Amino acid sequence: MTPDTGPGTGTGTTDRDDSPDTSRRGTVETRRHGGIAVIALRRTAKLNALSAHLESALLDAVRSKEVTTSRAVVVTGGPRVFSAGADTTELREMTTESIAAYYRASGSVYETFAALPQPTVAAISGYCLGGGLELALAADIRVADPTASFGLPEVGIGILPSSGGVTRLVRAVGPARTRDLVLRCRRMDAAEAYAWGLVGEVTDPGAPCLERALEIAAEMAAHPPLALSVAKQVITAATDAPRESALLLEQLGYAALNAASHR
């Protein structure tokens, strides 16, 4: 048991590295905390930088039995850092063809995580930058501690966020604030992220945000799973749907859930 994941009923590690030095390539640990699955990035030597290797391990974790049979999911990077972003050493070596192949393979993990039917919570400490922020944005709820630092620095190195960062950030905080964050490549602390609505809660100093994320996950996991799944889908669809369509989705979702509850 690791001290920053809490007690669990089962554990597994997804790691595609055959070499003895996994600390640099990283692993992804999955742990069950009752009905809650905890997914933990483990690449501390590189501040949990999201390489293709780590994303592949994360994709395996999201598809694992520990996660798919859970009632809620928490993703964390540990008590010191969530993720400092993409592994830029890989980016410099990618061609147009390899980038396209990447999005078909490990690059799909962000959408796969976002599409999980159960509610998801990101527990954020320290750096949450670039791809790390894109992963956090793919969660339904984000909890941070006061050490958290957020940003999308991609434009500063000549690229742009491309794993849902811009798309989800616009929907979370609006286009003006998205421009401010993306075009200026600036950082924001936990207090500003909370003021913007980027995170739903900031824990007290010294209070582990993973602990609070598990409490929130347990609260949601106590609700009927089908209702949670349908509500999550309706919320996602309603973000872009015209008002009339969003209302219809609510009504259809209610009718389907009502019918299911009387079977």
Side-chain angles (χ1 to χ4, degrees):
M1 183 188 305
T2 53
D4 55 331
T5 56
T9 57
T11 182
T13 299
T14 303
D15 180 18
R16 298 189 176 198
D17 194 351
D18 295 324
S19 74
D21 181 17
T22 60
S23 64
R24 294 189 67 81
R25 284 171 61 82
T27 63
V28 174
E29 179 187 82
T30 56
R31 180 181 298 277
R32 282 294 285 268
H33 190 283
I36 301 165
V38 177
I39 300 174
L41 305 177
R42 295 283 186 251
R43 198 189 183 197
T44 54
K46 290 287 189 176
L47 300 177
N48 291 337
L50 289 157
S51 62
H53 166 82
L54 198 63
E55 287 176 334
S56 292
L58 180 58
L59 186 59
D60 285 346
V62 171
R63 291 171 171 168
S64 69
K65 184 177 179 181
E66 288 92 346
V67 170
T68 58
T69 61
S70 69
R71 297 288 293 270
V73 181
V74 173
V75 62
T76 179
R80 288 174 292 279
V81 60
F82 186 75
S83 172
D87 191 330
T88 56
T89 58
E90 289 187 347
L91 294 174
R92 288 192 289 268
E93 299 169 359
M94 295 180 79
T95 65
T96 302
E97 291 76 14
S98 64
I99 289 171
Y102 158 78
Y103 285 119
R104 290 192 299 269
S106 64
S108 66
V109 66
Y110 303 89
E111 296 308 310
T112 303
F113 178 68
L116 284 172
Q118 60 269 68
T120 56
V121 185
I124 304 163
S125 300
Y127 291 133
C128 184
L129 307 175
L133 180 51
E134 291 182 297
L135 176 60
L137 284 166
D140 297 312
I141 293 175
R142 288 167 289 281
V143 180
D145 70 24
T147 70
S149 173
F150 301 87
L152 292 169
E154 286 87 345
V155 167
I157 59 172
I159 54 175
L160 80 162
S162 60
S163 296
V166 172
T167 303
R168 291 192 174 92
L169 192 62
V170 166
R171 286 155 177 76
V173 303
R177 284 175 165 170
T178 298
R179 290 188 182 96
D180 185 60
L181 196 64
V182 173
L183 301 183
R184 295 172 63 192
C185 302
R186 73 178 186 85
R187 303 274 182 89
M188 65 166 61
D189 61 17
E192 188 175 9
Y194 176 73
W196 278 24
L198 184 60
V199 299
E201 188 172 327
V202 179
T203 61
D204 293 331
C209 67
L210 177 58
E211 209 169 276
R212 180 58 183 147
L214 286 167
E215 291 174 355
I216 293 170
E219 177 187 315
M220 294 187 291
H223 302 316
L226 183 59
L228 285 168
S229 178
V230 172
K232 178 172 172 173
Q233 292 177 71
V234 170
I235 291 166
T236 300
T239 303
D240 296 316
R243 181 177 180 276
E244 294 77 10
S245 299
L247 288 170
L248 180 59
L249 286 171
E250 288 182 21
Q251 294 162 9
L252 292 173
Y254 173 84
L257 290 169
N258 185 62
S261 68
H262 290 91
R263 286 178 185 168

